[in-house]
């Protein structure tokens, strides 16, 4: 008997509304703005505010010397690990729920709106916390809101964007990640906002940037109720992983993102306690600018080129090699400027990767009707590794007596292996 899931992989997919029409520049711009708000609200706390807030929460209870900052790293790692569990549950669940949503506002827009409100409200609550437990609870709640927004936005790539535009739209998503990080981190650092004011700023910015996309009637058409038959035919996560191309695309995404996150998740601690930088927040902003400039320089170009030549694999493998080279540069960094160079190389590699990999993920999905759930599973591989890596990285740094060399070595190896994994995908060139 033929496997219906495998048959659906071999046949052209379509959106629930027929084959997607080309999306306009305006649609892509609003899509990118919404992602800018999402990434700003997620990455600025992760890269800077949470470590600073946790260090302040430890206060006088932190041991003196090296043990004090290692306690902060470990607490950060534990909270990130808890948030990773929340996202591993939340992303597929939110995607599946949006698949089953119907009404005149479409399948995805209600979840983008709801997730934005939960995310923003949780950030405001987070700003008033001064205990490790309070920070953990509110950050995990914020990540459930993040999951609702991210799952619905990503599903729109499959729903609304034709194959020949997916690289370009994925490039816009990658650029938004870079812009969101620099806007969030830059504003918080340059204006020297308090912790509470910083979180309020991020919450307001998230709502303001997501609102035009949510309120636009062109975001997506109305969604008809799905039949029970369609729901019962939806492949389970275990069935999806058994599909050869989906499995190898997932393995590649998990491994590359683990490698990239290991390289970047503890930069504030690396600057302060390894390179002994006197002003680590300004130094982190400089590294972030180098990273962002590189991402912005290549992400849209690589996505567009990938669409033009109809190939994904060469871009993904090349991006992994670049990131591995950058990890080696960080291993031997002895000054701020060598670290800046390494982050510029990482940005180029990751910008190219993100500009193409989201398109590859959409290309290997077996079923457009369940794109929310399926891309939610793929997004676990994109978003959960960065949340787990502070915990893993803290363990490595502590194991090797405060050394970051082994952390960066593991990063380079994982990134290279992840890039090579995509070569096993058969249906995408």
């Amino acid at each position: 008997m033929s496997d219906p899931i495998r048959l659906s992989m071999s046949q052209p997919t379509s959106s629930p509304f027929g084959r997607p029409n080309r999306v306009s520049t305006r649609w892509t711009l609003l899509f990118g703005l919404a992602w800018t708000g999402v990434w700003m609200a997620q990455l600025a706390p992760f890269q800077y505010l949470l470590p600073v807030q946790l260090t302040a929460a430890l206060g006088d209870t932190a041991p003196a010397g090296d043990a004090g900052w290692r306690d902060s790293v470990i607490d950060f790692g534990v909270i990130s690990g808890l948030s990773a569990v929340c996202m591993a549950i939340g992303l597929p669940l939110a995607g599946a729920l949006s698949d089953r949503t119907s009404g005149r506002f479409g399948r995805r827009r209600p979840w983008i709106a709801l997730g934005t409100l939960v995310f923003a409200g949780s950030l405001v609550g987070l700003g008033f916390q001064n205990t490790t437990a309070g920070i953990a609870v509110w950050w995990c709640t914020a990540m459930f809101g993040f999951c609702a927004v991210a799952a619905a936005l990503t599903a729109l790539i499959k729903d609304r964007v034709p194959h020949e535009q997916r690289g370009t739209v994925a490039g816009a998503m990658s650029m938004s990640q870079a812009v969101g990080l620099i806007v969030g981190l830059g504003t918080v650092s340059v204006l020297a906002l308090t912790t509470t004011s910083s979180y309020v700023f991020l919450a307001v910015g998230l709502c303001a940037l997501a609102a035009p996309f949510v309120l636009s009637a062109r975001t997506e058409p109305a969604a008809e109720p799905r039949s029970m038959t369609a729901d019962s035919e939806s492949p389970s996560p275990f069935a999806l992983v058994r599909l050869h191309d989906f499995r190898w695309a997932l393995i590649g995404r998990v491994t590359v993102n683990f490698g990239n996150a290991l390289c970047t998740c503890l930069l504030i601690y690396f600057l302060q306690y390894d390179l002994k930088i006197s002003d680590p927040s300004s130094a982190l902003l400089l590294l972030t600018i180098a990273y962002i400039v590189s991402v912005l320089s290549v992400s849209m170009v690589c996505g567009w080129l990938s669409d033009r030549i109809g190939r994904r694999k060469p871009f993904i493998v090349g991006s992994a090699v670049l990131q591995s080279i950058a990890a080696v540069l960080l291993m031997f960094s002895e000054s701020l400027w060598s670290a800046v160079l390494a982050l510029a190389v990482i940005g180029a590699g990751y910008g190219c990767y993100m500009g193409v990999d989201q398109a590859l993920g959409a290309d290997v999905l077996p079923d457009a009707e369940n794109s929310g759930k399926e891309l939610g599973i793929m997004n676990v591989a994109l978003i959960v590794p960065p949340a787990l890596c502070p915990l893993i990285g803290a363990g490595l740094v502590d194991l090797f007596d405060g050394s970051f060399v082994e952390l960066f070595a593991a990063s380079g190896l994982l990134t290279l292996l992840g890039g090579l994994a995509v070569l096993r995908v058969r249906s995408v060139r």
Side-chain angles (χ1 to χ4, degrees):
M1 182 179 292
S2 298
D3 184 347
I5 300 176
R6 191 169 299 280
L7 282 174
S8 69
M9 280 286 289
S10 63
Q11 296 169 353
T13 59
S14 62
S15 79
F17 318 107
R19 186 183 184 279
N21 296 319
R22 290 181 65 86
V23 293
S24 66
T25 302
R26 179 179 181 273
W27 190 95
T28 304
L29 176 62
L30 293 181
F31 181 78
L33 282 176
W35 270 116
T36 298
V38 171
W39 289 128
M40 178 182 71
Q42 200 263 350
L43 293 175
F46 189 78
Q47 289 289 337
Y48 178 68
L49 289 174
L50 285 174
V52 170
Q53 194 175 13
L54 285 168
T55 300
L58 285 171
D60 295 335
T61 64
D66 285 348
W69 74 265
R70 289 190 204 174
D71 279 356
S72 178
V73 172
I74 291 169
D75 282 355
F76 179 47
V78 170
I79 290 175
S80 295
L82 290 173
S83 71
V85 173
C86 295
M87 288 188 283
I89 297 169
L91 284 166
L93 178 62
L97 289 172
S98 71
D99 286 340
R100 287 156 178 76
T101 299
S102 59
R104 66 190 185 94
F105 296 109
R107 296 198 294 173
R108 316 301 179 189
R109 276 202 293 169
W111 290 96
I112 298 171
L114 177 63
T116 297
L117 293 175
V118 172
F119 193 2
S122 300
L123 289 176
V124 173
L126 182 60
F128 291 95
Q129 303 309 304
N130 53 20
T131 66
T132 302
I135 293 168
V137 169
W138 282 95
W139 181 243
C140 288
T141 305
M143 289 304 94
F144 279 117
F146 169 81
C147 287
V149 183
L153 281 173
T154 308
L156 284 172
I157 297 177
K158 182 77 172 181
D159 291 351
R160 297 282 286 115
V161 184
H163 172 80
E164 62 272 14
Q165 281 188 295
R166 286 176 185 164
T168 303
V169 173
M173 178 179 169
S174 177
M175 285 184 66
S176 300
Q177 185 177 24
V179 173
L181 176 58
I182 194 64
V183 170
L185 192 59
T187 303
V188 168
S189 300
V190 172
L191 297 183
L193 299 175
T194 65
T195 300
T196 302
S197 299
S198 297
Y199 282 116
V200 170
F201 165 77
L202 295 175
V204 172
L206 167 63
C207 293
L209 292 172
F213 191 69
V214 172
L215 297 175
S216 173
R218 298 181 183 180
T219 296
E220 61 173 335
E224 297 296 330
R226 280 166 46 110
S227 68
M228 293 300 295
T229 302
D231 288 345
S232 66
E233 292 175 354
S234 171
S236 71
F238 300 105
L240 288 170
V241 173
R242 287 199 299 271
L243 298 175
H244 181 276
D245 283 2
F246 188 94
R247 180 173 66 251
W248 281 103
L250 190 67
I251 289 171
R253 182 175 287 194
V254 168
T255 313
V256 168
N257 279 284
F258 260 118
N260 179 271
L262 280 177
C263 224
T264 58
C265 67
L266 299 179
L267 284 176
I268 186 70
Y269 297 104
F270 172 65
L271 291 168
Q272 188 168 0
Y273 299 107
D274 192 286
L275 296 186
K276 310 294 184 184
I277 303 297
S278 58
D279 186 2
S281 61
S282 297
L284 180 62
L285 180 59
L286 183 60
L287 262 63
T288 303
I289 290 172
Y291 179 89
I292 297 313
V293 169
S294 293
V295 170
L296 293 177
S297 299
V298 304
S299 57
M300 283 292 287
V301 173
C302 288
W304 177 79
L305 281 175
S306 174
D307 286 339
R308 290 284 292 177
I309 67 176
R311 298 178 70 90
R312 313 289 192 203
K313 291 180 181 177
F315 294 94
I316 292 176
V317 173
S319 73
V321 170
L322 270 182
Q323 292 178 77
S324 298
I325 292 171
V328 174
L329 291 174
L330 277 176
M331 287 173 62
F332 296 101
S333 289
E334 295 182 352
S335 69
L336 174 60
W337 293 109
S338 59
V340 168
L341 174 62
L343 264 291
V345 177
I346 291 174
Y350 197 63
C352 178
Y353 177 80
M354 282 293 292
V356 177
D357 184 65
Q358 281 287 352
L360 181 140
D363 289 345
V364 302
L365 289 187
D367 182 10
E369 189 72 10
N370 297 294
S371 57
K373 182 184 76 175
E374 293 163 6
L375 276 171
I377 295 168
M378 289 292 284
N379 274 346
V380 169
L382 174 66
I383 294 168
V384 170
L388 282 175
C389 277
L391 181 59
I392 298 170
L396 283 172
V397 170
D398 193 58
L399 179 65
F400 290 98
D401 198 29
S403 170
F404 286 80
V405 171
E406 293 77 12
L407 178 72
F408 296 138
S411 165
L413 179 61
L414 286 172
T415 305
L416 185 61
L417 292 175
L420 295 176
V422 79
L423 297 176
R424 298 295 303 273
V425 175
R426 298 167 181 163
S427 61
V428 179
R429 297 171 61 200

